Amino acid sequence: MATSLHAHVVEHLGSRIVGGSIPRGSIVLAADLEQKLQVSRSVIREAVRVLAQCGLVTSTKRVGIRVLGPEEWNPYDENVIRWRLASDQKGAQLRSLTELRISVEPMAAELAAEVAPEAMRKELMLISAQMNHYGRQGDLRRFLELDIRFHALVLAASGNEMFANLATPIAAILRGRTELGLMPERPHEEALAWHQSVADSISNMDAQGARRNMESIMRRTHNEICSLWEGAPRVFVDPIAKK
């Protein structure tokens, strides 16, 4: 029950902060939240701790819980991504993660072709074959989970631990696109072929082929959804100022 209450408070506050109904600069009092949400102080404290890790709030004694602006949010946090996708920032969130993928995943595929362990190469071949099977059947639920695993495995197979840790936000965007109805009813044959070609290239240690085919996947993804972020404002973060 405590875990359920804690999750409810995190969801209640997080979605409203990201959605803008609790604006940046607002001061929220724990006592008011206890009364409004009918939960204990310990539940509020734990929820605030989670939201602080997301970069959404900061808590100060004798002042309260201060709501922070988007430039302070953790852009890689799965909850932040999910809340942004459910808000009027959907386009901006899709753009940020798509640009990240275009920048990173082709390089990861190239490195994977050069350094991936044999077990990872074999798993990529297996997953790409399963993606072809379930994609052509129109089983989008199964295809989605395989697609998430495929891209996570390419990142991991690069041997770059920073790339590998991008798997969570990339999974969030893949799930978000599906939940928002931004994926075709059946994966395009061209996209299926490119995934297979990425796996083949990595298996055959063809670094340039792996990069080229992954870039084709990313460019198609960009072109399919770029209209959704037309005119969406960008967030400019000064990393020095944040310190």
Side-chain angles (χ1 to χ4, degrees), residues 225-242:
I225 61 175
C226 62
S227 62
L228 295 172
W229 59 70
E230 186 175 351
R234 290 182 178 269
V235 176
F236 294 91
V237 178
D238 183 344
I240 304 301
K242 285 185 74 171

Side-chain angles (χ1 to χ4, degrees), residues 5 11 19 29 47 72 84 118 132 134 139 149 182 196:
L5 288 173
E11 192 68 25
L29 300 179
E72 301 289 341
R84 289 189 77 197
E118 185 61 25
N132 272 302
Y134 288 104
D139 187 342
R149 177 58 183 161
L182 300 176
Q196 183 67 61

Side-chain angles (χ1 to χ4, degrees), residues 157-178:
S158 72
N160 183 311
E161 72 281 5
M162 297 186 78
F163 285 2
N165 277 278
L166 294 175
T168 295
I170 288 174
I173 201 69
L174 289 170
R175 288 196 178 93
R177 282 189 66 195
T178 300

